[in-house]
Amino acid sequence: MMTLAELYEAGRKVVIGSLTFAAEDIIRFARDFDPQPFHLDEEGAKQSLFGGLCASGWHTSAGWMQCFVRFWADEARRLAAEGLHAPKLGPSPGFRELKWLKPVYAGDTITYAVTLLEARIVASRPGWRINTILCEGENQHGEAVIRFESKVIELA
């Protein structure tokens, strides 16, 4: 089984996918998870400091995860076709420095990426690693909209 550090050189940014934020998706997510007026109502959002309907930051974050899960499943299939075993990724013990840098408006397409920053062995768990990754997203204009650092457990 390969390690994440063997697959992806530290510091190399890898695009993991894109997601377009449709108005109806923004409203649906907001209704369930972040019911603030600028996420729920196009007309009301025009009067807000954002000037238009925009996605919840949590929606933007969930979009990163949606793209990563899809990307990782595709990577596992690609590696298997090459006769290789993908690293077994476990849960994340947490993240830090979450920043929503610009609003994501209805119709924006966000392209998400991941960069391996560091991989270290877990002394108390033989074969386990903790990977630190930089998670990012930018809109169709190349403007950064989200950035956070996450940890990902890699299991033996």
Side-chain angles (χ1 to χ4, degrees), residues 19-107:
L19 186 62
T20 298
F21 286 76
E24 52 273 6
D25 295 329
I26 289 171
I27 293 167
R28 184 176 25 257
F29 186 95
R31 203 177 292 128
D32 289 340
F33 302 108
D34 192 355
Q36 297 184 72
F38 40 83
H39 301 319
L40 289 170
D41 175 54
E42 290 188 61
E43 285 307 309
K46 289 177 185 175
Q47 305 308 313
S48 75
L49 77 119
F50 298 113
L53 185 70
C54 62
S56 165
W58 297 113
H59 190 179
T60 309
S61 302
W64 185 92
M65 183 56 76
Q66 178 184 358
C67 287
F68 181 77
V69 168
R70 189 176 330 137
F71 167 80
W72 192 247
D74 290 345
E75 279 293 271
R77 283 191 289 278
R78 178 186 69 80
L79 291 167
E82 295 175 14
L84 302 170
H85 296 285
K88 184 177 179 184
L89 301 183
S92 170
F95 65 92
R96 57 187 225 112
E97 297 294 320
L98 173 60
K99 295 181 180 170
W100 296 309
L101 303 164
K102 286 188 94 53
V104 173
Y105 292 101

Side-chain angles (χ1 to χ4, degrees), residues 18-19 102-111 137-145:
S18 295
L19 186 62
K102 286 188 94 53
V104 173
Y105 292 101
D108 281 354
T109 297
I110 307 306
T111 299
E138 62 181 41
N139 64 21
Q140 66 276 9
H141 307 294
E143 300 166 320
V145 299

Side-chain angles (χ1 to χ4, degrees), residues 2-16 67-80 82 84-89 113-119 129 131-134 152 154:
M2 300 183 78
T3 67
L4 211 55
E6 290 171 329
L7 268 177
Y8 306 104
E9 179 184 342
R12 186 177 131 227
K13 187 176 189 174
V14 178
V15 171
I16 60 171
C67 287
F68 181 77
V69 168
R70 189 176 330 137
F71 167 80
W72 192 247
D74 290 345
E75 279 293 271
R77 283 191 289 278
R78 178 186 69 80
L79 291 167
E82 295 175 14
L84 302 170
H85 296 285
K88 184 177 179 184
L89 301 183
V114 64
T115 304
L116 178 65
L117 299 177
E118 175 187 56
R129 289 176 165 67
N131 298 291
T132 304
I133 58 175
L134 178 64
V152 178
E154 187 175 327

